[in-house]
Amino acid sequence: MSEIDRSRAARAEARTRIEDTAARLFAERGFAGTTIGEIAAEAGLSKPMLYRHFDSKQELHLALLERHRDELAAAPIRELLHGEGDLDARMRAMYDAWFGYVETHPYTWRMMFRDTTGDAEVQAFHRELQRRQRETDMSLLREFVPGIPEAELEPLGEAIRSSLYGLALWWLERPDRPRELLVAAMVRITRGLISTVEPLPGSSDGAARA
């Protein structure tokens, strides 16, 4: 490995250490209760070294939110768009992927959905995160239940989104509960919502019910 490659690897390793440490501290203490000095010390770096990667605590916080927003969305969307099987199988796979990410990133989850920084940019990010999740849930409904009136899609998508977030936060306080329990609950909630809609003739959901 060349000197340049070693330098890049060391920089990437230091950035990962900073992000992992910051995610844990932000989740435990909140944004306001965490200082750059504490993050640097627990990451085993000096403050000047940390500032080589992030100009401010806000920039670090936003970078973490953006990184984990994209990772959280990737697996469930992949299952929705490319998964195999009927409605129940694909819903189960999608929710399992979503809760699987929550399970392996508990600190990040607390930071993303419990912390209130009071910062306008961070609050705007949270609204955007919720909008993206809601649109994913609306896509699920559009694909499998085309008979749902367009005007109802957004509130129904919000009902699914808020159920997901609420169950995830509930789970963080009860980590002994198996992931399968939450997946089954979300499938039941979603099935309950869509069971009240008459599917259009020839729709995939109608075939699944037959």
Side-chain angles (χ1 to χ4, degrees):
M1 183 182 292
S2 69
E3 186 63 33
I4 292 177
D5 288 339
R6 280 194 295 271
S7 176
R8 286 175 178 169
R11 182 175 177 81
E13 190 275 333
R15 185 181 178 93
T16 298
R17 212 181 331 149
I18 292 167
E19 291 183 348
D20 290 346
T21 301
R24 175 173 58 82
L25 293 180
F26 285 146
E28 291 175 347
R29 306 174 187 178
F31 180 82
T34 304
T35 68
I36 283 289
E38 290 168 340
I39 296 170
E42 295 216 19
L45 301 168
S46 65
K47 285 175 67 174
M49 179 65 72
L50 187 149
Y51 280 123
R52 292 182 186 178
H53 296 270
F54 300 98
D55 290 337
S56 66
K57 185 172 69 168
Q58 182 197 48
E59 182 182 317
L60 171 54
H61 192 268
L62 285 169
L64 280 169
L65 291 175
E66 289 171 2
R67 167 188 159 188
H68 291 289
R69 172 199 63 197
D70 296 340
E71 291 178 1
L72 177 65
I77 290 175
R78 185 167 57 248
E79 293 293 345
L80 172 64
L81 297 178
H82 307 296
E84 298 180 354
D86 61 10
L87 171 62
D88 280 351
R90 290 174 69 178
M91 276 200 300
R92 196 170 298 276
M94 184 178 71
Y95 290 139
D96 185 67
W98 197 87
F99 283 116
Y101 188 89
V102 173
E103 185 174 31
T104 54
H105 298 81
Y107 286 123
T108 298
W109 185 256
R110 289 189 180 95
M111 180 192 72
M112 290 175 73
F113 296 100
R114 280 187 172 171
D115 189 78
T116 53
T117 66
D119 182 272
E121 191 171 357
V122 172
Q123 291 174 350
F125 173 91
H126 282 216
R127 289 193 295 271
E128 173 66 12
L129 178 64
Q130 293 172 5
R131 184 191 66 79
R132 288 190 181 194
Q133 180 66 57
R134 185 166 51 247
E135 288 188 349
T136 298
D137 297 327
M138 290 167 64
S139 297
L140 169 74
L141 295 170
R142 278 196 184 96
E143 176 167 359
F144 289 108
V145 202
I148 292 180
E150 185 67 25
E152 294 183 21
L153 279 173
E154 185 169 356
L156 287 174
E158 175 61 20
I160 296 174
R161 183 204 69 78
S162 59
S163 296
L164 273 171
Y165 288 13
L167 279 174
L169 291 172
W170 175 87
W171 192 25
L172 287 173
E173 301 300 328
R174 301 163 181 83
D176 58 315
R177 307 299 173 90
R179 187 164 93 211
E180 293 79 9
L181 176 65
L182 285 90
V183 173
M186 277 308 308
V187 171
R188 189 180 298 275
I189 289 168
T190 309
R191 259 299 183 185
L193 286 173
I194 66 179
S195 68
T196 62
V197 180
E198 288 296 326
L200 295 176
S203 71
S204 59
D205 190 61
R209 294 185 196 183

